[in-house]
Amino acid sequence: MASQLLRLRCHGNALAAVGQGKHMPTLLSKRLLSDKTDKTSKKDSDASNGDVTEKICVVDTPPVYTKKEAAEIEEAISQHASRTGSRSEYVNEREPVVVHEMSYPISTNKWYRVVPEREEFMQVGKSHIKRVPKLEHGLERVLFSPGVHCLEDPHSGVYNFDPYIRNITQPEEFDYDKLTPYITSSKDESLMNYARKCKKQFVGSTSSMTHVLSHIYFAISAGKRPDFSSLSMAFAYMPTQFTRGMRYPASIALRYHDGVYGIDADKSFDVKDSILSVLGKSMEKLLTASPKEFEKYKKQNSWKVKEIPEENYHYTQFGEFVLRSQLDCRDDRLPRKTFDLKTRGSLAIRMDIQNYDISKGYQIKTMKGRLQSFEREYYDMVRSAFLKYNFQTRIGNMDGIFVAYHNTARMFGFQYIPRREMDNVIFGNEATGNKAFKSVLILLGQLLRTITDQFPKQDIRVTFDSTSGHGKLGIWVEVINDEAEKTAAQQYEELGLFEPKIKTKKSAESSGSDPFATKDPLDNLVLDKETSEELENEIDGLDPDPMDYIYVNDKQPILHYVVEMFSTYMDQDTDSPVTVKNSDEEWYINWKLTKTRIEPDEMAKRYRSLRLRQATYFERASPDTPEEDLSPMIKILRRISRRDLWRNKEPKGKVVVNRSRLPSMRAVKLSAKPKPNQTSEQDTEDSEIASSQRAAAKRQESGRSKKAGTGSSHKGSEKKTKDPSKRGARKAGSRTPDDRGRGARSASKVAHKTQPKSQADASEHSS
């Protein structure tokens, strides 16, 4: 009997509908039928004709097909199928659903569709692009030459750029108070006013939103991985998924101000700035300032800085948001004019960031290879930062990123990565990147509107976690209590929680090693097994458990939602990654919001466990950690760092700089290609330089002609040059070797003209 049953989960209803010739509704994007049709089709399936539908039965066991049965099912649903992919994807079919057009308010347990083409980016306010600085030290030529450019040629030691930028100014030497302070989104009055003017509910910045947007992308992309085909075979068997740092839960704080919510990054546990973020501020100033100007920002000269420059922002609106992006640098020859500056610490620094003094000897020596190469830095950057960098350039409408590779002590090289290159690596092409970015922003706006309605006009913390599985996104919501969180932060510091751990091996105790030590009264006590176990449990219980000290505001409800998603690509539903071929192809995201309903105590316990994961992620090894307790990777990196630490010192002797690669004036003009009747600042500057050069050339030509004329008019010129006293006076004069050469050539021409014609013919024949 069991062998006659076809173990299907949801195809029975679909086959019954197909057998009766029913047409599918237009809003049915997934799984063929709605819940209502699902109930009626069971009754109709018994009366339907055909051998296949008579055998259909719905059971809870996983479906198993024979080849014949699978072929019959596929043929029956081929006319109305809404799936693409392999046979196994049909096995994991979901229940039939109806997908609705996006509307508000959002109902739980109801499927909605995201159509990215319905929203467009619009600039808000005036552009401050004229105030954005440019690259200095000859670095602008990196923008138009693909690949990595070494600061110092590893083969010859010749510098390709100004040697001034080789050594990095350390934090204790730089006056950071003279830089423009960072303002969070919730405290930016201009951003808030733009949102009220545009009637938008949320404002955010690139630094506060990109981590959350990354989690939403992980859910909609069905676990799509970056493309590493451009790398060498050294990375053929290396991991290709995004790093753990990209996938750990991301939290944002929504701060309410007069009808607008400001989105700030949650800094509950990551309160201290790392050495990379601190050096990033001073290094951005180094790359965009001349040596004379940068010297003013050092502490011994900071009194010379009279005014702190204003920050340059780009504001744009999209969907429910008004977004702010900081503009770091510009070059008018690029298609989108501006680009982002990124300072990238080496592998050893990132892996052991708490102990960067130990790891700063790690050098980047080669172009390719698994260690000490620019290729390794690029590989890690793709896995850990490319997605966030791509979203930041899209928010700010920037052309790409300018990367400076360093080890916190010295600079190694530079690379310009256009946004299109990042699109090809992360998404597959630019069209897929545009649709994906719009989809995640639209979806985030709808989710935040639904969440804020549960706690109107209150400050809340929202945590996103995409580690539950492909196509699912977990969301936690907590009301923020600032006073209680300050008290909890002080408690963390007093107990030493979530700080770098000092791991020490239990050494054998030597009696009498410390003559002033107090003797333990339990040393001479004979304990049985049960008593010793009780004492051990009691002592272990005295150690603070971080789970007990994680603060959670359980006085107000803690909410948890689960978002399920699947894609519709060219009228076909799929759970697989999607890559569109061009912008005309249709790719929609279908999603459903489900609210978790469990006891409040259990909800608080689960949320506390999630917060503990966030807190312990930032733990790093301490400098006092013994060598044998370190991971094998850290051991190798520290060994390399100790071996090459001497290379950080500035080399003694003559410094050779390569100046031959500077672009010519004509090449600069041709690369700009300005439109008719439109001139930029760079064009006017170049035209002034060119005109001054032409004027100087004319003056030199006029001087040469006068000298040649005077030499031919006076007959006794040759005798004057043969006089030794005159020759000495001529050497003591101010004429350069080039002038003397030109004078000799003019004199030879005059002598050639004055000689007889026969002699001139003879000399020409001999030559």
Side-chain angles (χ1 to χ4, degrees), residues 590-653:
N590 309 292
W591 62 283
K592 178 181 71 173
L593 185 66
T594 305
K595 187 175 182 180
T596 305
R597 303 184 185 276
I598 57 176
E599 294 295 328
D601 294 340
E602 181 65 21
M603 183 75 73
K605 182 179 179 181
R606 294 184 184 181
Y607 181 60
R608 188 176 282 109
S609 176
L610 178 78
R611 296 287 287 170
L612 180 62
R613 285 171 51 199
Q614 289 181 305
T616 54
Y617 171 77
F618 296 102
E619 288 186 351
R620 296 291 188 273
S622 170
D624 298 328
T625 304
E627 188 79 15
E628 56 270 16
D629 291 340
L630 297 173
S631 65
M633 187 65 177
I634 299 297
K635 290 181 182 179
I636 295 174
L637 296 177
R638 287 192 179 184
R639 194 179 304 121
I640 295 174
S641 178
R642 287 193 295 266
R643 183 192 66 191
D644 295 338
L645 184 60
W646 64 274
R647 297 180 182 273
N648 287 339
K649 297 180 181 179
E650 190 170 359
K652 297 180 181 180

Side-chain angles (χ1 to χ4, degrees), residues 210-229:
T210 49
H211 197 183
V212 170
L213 295 175
S214 299
H215 275 273
I216 300 178
Y217 172 75
F218 295 153
I220 71 171
S221 64
K224 189 176 184 178
R225 300 190 176 192
D227 180 19
F228 294 99
S229 60

Side-chain angles (χ1 to χ4, degrees), residues 6 52 63-76 87 91:
L6 183 62
V52 177
V64 178
Y65 304 114
T66 64
K67 290 184 178 181
K68 182 178 179 181
E69 292 169 344
E72 292 176 351
I73 294 171
E74 186 172 4
E75 182 180 359
R87 177 75 260 165
V91 175

Side-chain angles (χ1 to χ4, degrees), residues 230-496:
S230 61
L231 301 184
S232 66
M233 290 301 295
F235 297 88
Y237 300 101
M238 295 286 282
T240 58
Q241 72 273 17
F242 291 96
T243 59
R244 187 171 63 96
M246 287 286 291
R247 292 180 280 115
Y248 87 95
S251 296
I252 55 175
L254 299 182
R255 303 286 182 176
Y256 181 80
H257 293 284
D258 193 16
V260 180
Y261 287 92
I263 302 175
D264 296 339
D266 181 53
K267 296 288 185 179
S268 302
F269 305 110
D270 188 19
V271 292
K272 296 181 180 179
D273 292 334
S274 65
I275 182 63
L276 295 180
S277 60
V278 173
L279 283 180
K281 302 174 184 177
S282 58
M283 291 177 67
E284 287 181 4
K285 193 66 180 179
L286 173 65
L287 298 176
T288 57
S290 62
K292 183 178 180 180
E293 182 183 358
F294 184 76
E295 287 292 330
K296 296 180 181 179
Y297 288 88
K298 293 184 178 181
K299 287 187 177 180
Q300 65 268 24
N301 303 322
S302 61
W303 58 272
K304 297 181 180 180
V305 180
K306 303 301 181 181
E307 296 181 358
I308 298 178
E310 297 182 13
E311 198 62 82
N312 304 305
Y313 292 120
H314 173 81
Y315 298 98
T316 183
Q317 61 171 327
F318 182 87
E320 305 291 336
F321 301 95
V322 173
L323 304 175
R324 184 194 72 187
S325 175
Q326 179 180 339
L327 301 179
D328 293 338
C329 203
R330 73 179 173 100
D331 194 295
D332 296 331
R333 293 167 290 181
L334 292 174
R336 297 184 181 91
K337 308 295 184 185
T338 59
F339 55 93
D340 210 357
L341 294 179
K342 299 296 180 183
T343 55
R344 184 71 177 174
S346 61
L347 172 64
I349 298 297
R350 298 193 309 272
M351 295 288 290
D352 200 11
I353 193 172
Q354 207 72 31
N355 314 301
Y356 72 95
D357 276 335
I358 303 175
S359 304
K360 65 182 181 181
Y362 182 90
Q363 309 288 310
I364 302 178
K365 299 179 179 179
T366 61
M367 287 293 173
K368 296 185 180 298
R370 285 197 179 184
L371 290 177
Q372 296 188 283
S373 69
F374 288 103
E375 188 180 31
R376 178 55 189 258
E377 306 303 323
Y378 185 88
Y379 163 78
D380 288 340
M381 186 164 53
V382 170
R383 295 181 60 215
S384 62
F386 250 34
L387 185 60
K388 292 193 294 186
Y389 291 169
N390 187 277
F391 287 163
Q392 290 172 5
T393 56
R394 290 181 181 278
I395 292 175
N397 192 29
M398 291 180 277
D399 190 75
I401 58 174
F402 182 91
V403 185
Y405 298 100
H406 66 95
N407 67 350
T408 71
R410 59 167 295 191
M411 202 84 73
F412 295 108
F414 311 95
Q415 183 180 10
Y416 182 71
I417 305 175
R419 193 173 81 184
R420 179 172 295 181
E421 179 179 344
M422 293 188 285
D423 288 340
N424 295 335
V425 173
I426 298 295
F427 308 109
N429 52 50
E430 187 177 8
T432 306
N434 291 335
K435 292 178 180 292
F437 182 60
K438 289 183 178 181
S439 298
V440 297
L441 269 179
I442 294 173
L443 184 56
L444 178 62
Q446 296 299 324
L447 291 174
L448 293 184
R449 284 189 64 179
T450 305
I451 291 169
T452 51
D453 286 347
Q454 307 300 315
F455 304 98
K457 299 182 180 180
Q458 296 187 58
D459 296 345
I460 58 178
R461 177 182 292 108
V462 187
T463 304
F464 295 81
D465 184 16
S466 61
T467 58
S468 57
H470 300 326
K472 288 187 178 181
L473 179 68
I475 302 176
W476 297 84
V477 186
E478 174 195 14
V479 178
I480 297 177
N481 188 341
D482 291 322
E483 296 181 359
E485 291 190 0
K486 289 182 181 178
T487 305
Q490 295 176 358
Q491 192 175 19
Y492 298 157
E493 187 175 358
E494 292 174 359
L495 296 175

